[in-house]
Amino acid sequence: MQPAIGNETVRNLQKTLDQSKGANSDFSQFLEKAINSVDAKQQSAAAHVMNVATGENVDIHGQMIALEEANISLHAMATTRDKLVDAYHTIWNLQI
């Protein structure tokens, strides 16, 4: 199960990616790979949590690593998004 902030962030990034497809395909492909990577880590962490919840014999150490990787990648993606939005606003407000 993904945290609510993770779902919202991935949806916002996917919407931004869909809007930028025609503008610059290299950058949009880079964003798509990054979003898919974050999503894969979130799904892996969710699968680990589900295994523990169902009572399966799991490696707790591996589970904690997967959860932290998902958390760090999500926060890095959100920070990158915030920096890109700030840069966009800065460029938008430039006086010509």
Side-chain angles (χ1 to χ4, degrees):
M1 177 175 277
Q2 294 179 357
I5 189 169
N7 290 335
E8 180 182 335
T9 301
V10 170
R11 274 196 304 272
N12 287 341
L13 290 169
Q14 188 65 45
K15 187 171 90 172
T16 303
L17 175 65
D18 291 341
Q19 292 172 350
S20 68
K21 281 275 188 194
N24 187 344
S25 63
D26 291 336
F27 186 65
S28 66
Q29 289 174 357
F30 170 76
L31 282 178
E32 185 172 9
K33 288 177 186 175
I35 291 170
N36 289 338
S37 174
V38 170
D39 187 48
K41 287 183 187 293
Q42 292 288 324
Q43 290 178 3
S44 173
H48 282 24
V49 169
M50 187 61 73
N51 288 341
V52 168
T54 58
E56 293 183 27
N57 188 12
V58 295
D59 175 29
I60 298 297
H61 183 70
Q63 178 194 8
M64 292 306 295
I65 289 173
L67 288 171
E68 279 304 308
E69 283 179 351
N71 188 27
I72 290 169
S73 66
L74 180 63
H75 285 293
M77 177 75 57
T79 302
T80 303
R81 180 206 58 203
D82 293 343
K83 294 286 185 181
L84 286 172
V85 169
D86 287 343
Y88 173 80
H89 286 295
T90 300
I91 291 170
W92 184 262
N93 292 325
L94 283 176
Q95 296 292 324
I96 298 179

